[in-house]
């Protein structure tokens, strides 16, 4: 069956192909009535745009590619929610892809969507990409004038727009909070040290200790590159050979592993041990006891990311921008 083209629609209305294209893309040059008639007819005959042709004619697809590292993380789901809601409001569609923290998958996705399918990308960098420091696919996208907005996991060396949370200050504030509640030996457990966010959280923890005149004790610090949640209990277990009265965990599954081990050892929470985790997801609300968390406001991150990208696409901004979303601590049952 022959694919319907812009020319077919133009012939039906006895107008130019340019007029049809403008009508389908909500150009103010076309009257609302004509635009609606053309759109209705296009829908009736199941017209779908040829993205490559649109790209060659230097017309925008009004579609954004979103690449996230995994689909199970509640934080990324919240970011997606913010992106989709704001994109829809501004007349854009999104195509969401999962890198599974694979460099090769990230490269293939960007290459595939760069062939006229999307106008720009919003992405959080894959763990393997950060670990190998291989960024040529990002540079290639920018060279093709396909803009990028990075969020959460970002690459400082890439000149693109970025939206981040202040992970460093989030850890400083967590230490401050625990110290003010009387905690004197604050442990730290991170399972994402290949990522920029893991390093920032660790550096913030160390700065928080220093600010509060608390000694750094290597025996109650665990930093690994192991992301797989089923191994987190084994990773955290050596901490419990030491004494400490609080722990800051780099993610919820590490914190829940600590809660489970504490329970097995008869340690009362929060009376004997306070636990605070990054970030504020579903696990935190349904764990027993419910986890106190650093909330990263994923939906706001998504809204800001897509707004930045659309402003760049529509030439409302030309400079490279970096925006920071501040965190806050949500106190539940796992801390004093």
């Amino acid at each position: 069956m022959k694919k319907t083209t812009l020319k077919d629609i133009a012939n039906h209305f006895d107008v130019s192909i340019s007029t049809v294209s403008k009508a389908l893309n909500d150009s103010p040059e076309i009257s609302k009535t004509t635009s609606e008639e053309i759109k209705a007819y296009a829908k009736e005959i199941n017209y779908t745009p040829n993205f490559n042709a649109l790209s060659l004619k230097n017309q925008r697809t009004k579609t954004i590619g979103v690449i996230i590292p995994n689909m199970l993380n509640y934080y990324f789901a919240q970011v997606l929610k913010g992106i989709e809601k704001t994109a829809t409001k501004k007349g854009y569609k999104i195509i969401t892809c999962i890198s599974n923290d694979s460099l090769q998958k990230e490269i293939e996705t960007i290459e595939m969507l760069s062939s006229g399918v999307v106008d720009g990308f919003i992405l959080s960098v894959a763990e393997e990409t950060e670990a190998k420091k291989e960024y040529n696919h990002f540079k290639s996208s920018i060279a093709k004038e396909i803009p990028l907005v990075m969020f959460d996991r970002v690459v400082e060396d890439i000149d693109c727009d970025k939206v981040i949370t202040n992970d460093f200050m989030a850890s400083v504030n967590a230490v401050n909070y625990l110290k003010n509640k009387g905690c004197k030996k604050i442990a730290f457990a991170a399972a994402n040290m290949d990522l920029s966010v893991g390093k920032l959280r660790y550096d913030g923890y160390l700065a928080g200790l220093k600010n509060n005149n608390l000694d750094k004790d290597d025996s109650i610090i665990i930093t690994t590159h192991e992301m797989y949640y089923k191994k987190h209990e084994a990773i955290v277990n050596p901490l419990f050979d030491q004494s400490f009265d609080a722990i800051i965990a780099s993610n919820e599954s590490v914190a829940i592993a600590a809660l489970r081990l504490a329970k097995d050892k008869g340690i009362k929470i929060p009376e004997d041990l306070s636990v605070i985790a990054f970030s504020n997801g579903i696990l935190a609300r349904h764990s027993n006891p419910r986890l106190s968390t650093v909330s990263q406001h994923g939906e706001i991150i998504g809204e800001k990311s897509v707004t930045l990208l659309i402003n760049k696409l529509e030439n409302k901004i030309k400079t490279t921008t970096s925006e920071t979303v501040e965190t806050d601590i949500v106190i539940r049952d796992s801390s004093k």
Side-chain angles (χ1 to χ4, degrees):
M1 185 177 174
K2 181 176 174 290
K3 184 177 172 68
T4 306
T5 65
L6 286 175
K7 187 176 181 180
D8 296 327
I9 302 173
N11 288 341
H12 177 81
F13 287 97
D14 195 22
V15 297
S16 69
I17 291 173
S18 173
T19 298
V20 174
S21 178
K22 288 175 181 177
L24 294 176
N25 285 287
D26 297 315
S27 169
E29 295 176 41
I30 309 300
S31 73
K32 189 175 180 183
T33 303
T34 302
S35 184
E36 286 176 355
E37 286 177 358
I38 290 173
K39 281 184 183 177
Y41 180 69
K43 186 175 182 181
E44 182 186 324
I45 62 174
N46 295 317
Y47 167 75
T48 53
N50 181 328
F51 289 113
N52 287 320
L54 283 169
S55 179
L56 288 169
K57 290 176 182 293
N58 202 28
Q59 295 179 17
R60 291 186 293 113
T61 65
K62 298 204 82 172
T63 303
I64 293 166
V66 181
I67 307 173
I68 59 173
N70 72 69
M71 62 187 296
L72 300 177
N73 187 306
Y74 180 77
Y75 167 73
F76 291 129
Q78 288 299 101
V79 174
L80 270 177
K81 182 180 177 183
I83 291 171
E84 200 279 331
K85 182 174 73 175
T86 307
T88 300
K89 200 180 294 181
K90 293 177 180 288
Y92 283 75
K93 301 178 289 295
I94 66 169
I95 295 175
T96 306
C97 300
I98 317 295
S99 70
N100 283 326
D101 276 314
S102 158
L103 167 61
Q104 190 57 36
K105 186 77 184 292
E106 191 175 74
I107 290 170
E108 289 171 0
T109 301
I110 286 180
E111 285 179 352
M112 174 186 70
L113 296 181
S114 292
S115 60
V117 179
V118 301
D119 296 332
F121 291 100
I122 299 171
L123 62 94
S124 187
V125 179
E127 180 191 5
E128 188 181 14
T129 303
E130 285 208 65
K132 292 185 175 179
K133 300 189 186 312
E134 173 53 67
Y135 308 134
N136 285 337
H137 51 306
F138 301 143
K139 293 173 184 175
S140 175
S141 177
I142 293 166
K144 292 176 187 173
E145 297 187 341
I146 303 171
L148 303 175
V149 175
M150 293 181 178
F151 72 90
D152 189 53
R153 306 179 190 176
V154 303
V155 180
E156 291 302 320
D157 295 340
I158 298 297
D159 184 26
C160 68
D161 297 313
K162 301 177 178 84
V163 181
I164 59 172
T165 48
N166 197 334
D167 287 280
F168 179 87
M169 279 309 301
S171 278
V172 170
N173 292 338
V175 174
N176 291 344
Y177 175 82
L178 292 167
K179 173 66 164 52
N180 289 338
K181 290 295 180 179
C183 299
K184 294 174 182 174
K185 291 201 72 178
I186 302 170
F188 182 82
N192 54 358
M193 292 302 288
D194 273 334
L195 303 176
S196 55
V197 292
K199 293 166 188 163
L200 286 167
R201 290 168 191 174
Y202 178 59
D203 289 344
Y205 161 75
L206 295 179
L209 293 181
K210 189 173 181 180
N211 292 350
N212 286 284
N213 297 314
L214 297 172
D215 293 330
K216 177 191 174 191
D217 182 349
D218 289 328
S219 69
I220 55 171
I221 296 172
I222 300 281
T223 55
T224 79
H225 305 284
E226 179 56 64
M227 299 284 283
Y228 192 44
Y229 72 95
K230 287 187 176 178
K231 295 184 179 180
H232 288 165
E233 201 161 310
I235 289 167
V236 176
N237 192 46
L239 279 178
F240 287 86
D241 293 335
Q242 316 300 323
S243 65
F244 54 99
D245 54 15
I247 181 171
I248 298 170
S250 65
N251 61 43
E252 290 173 4
S253 58
V254 170
I256 287 170
L259 289 178
R260 192 178 296 122
L261 287 164
K263 186 177 180 182
D264 290 346
K265 296 173 188 296
I267 298 170
K268 293 179 181 177
I269 294 174
E271 294 87 350
D272 302 326
L273 177 65
S274 289
V275 181
I276 293 179
F278 288 79
S279 58
N280 190 24
I282 291 175
L283 289 176
R285 297 167 207 188
H286 296 286
S287 63
N288 184 21
R290 296 181 312 140
L291 269 173
S292 295
T293 57
V294 175
S295 179
Q296 294 172 275
H297 305 295
E299 194 168 338
I300 295 172
I301 294 277
E303 291 169 2
K304 285 185 176 294
S305 297
V306 76
T307 300
L308 260 183
L309 182 59
I310 290 172
N311 284 344
K312 183 62 67 74
L313 290 170
E314 296 181 352
N315 294 316
K316 291 177 182 174
I317 55 169
K318 296 188 183 296
T319 55
T320 300
T321 306
S322 183
E323 293 195 16
T324 301
V325 175
E326 295 300 330
T327 61
D328 53 41
I329 299 174
V330 179
I331 300 303
R332 296 192 180 95
D333 307 326
S334 72
S335 64
K336 293 177 184 174

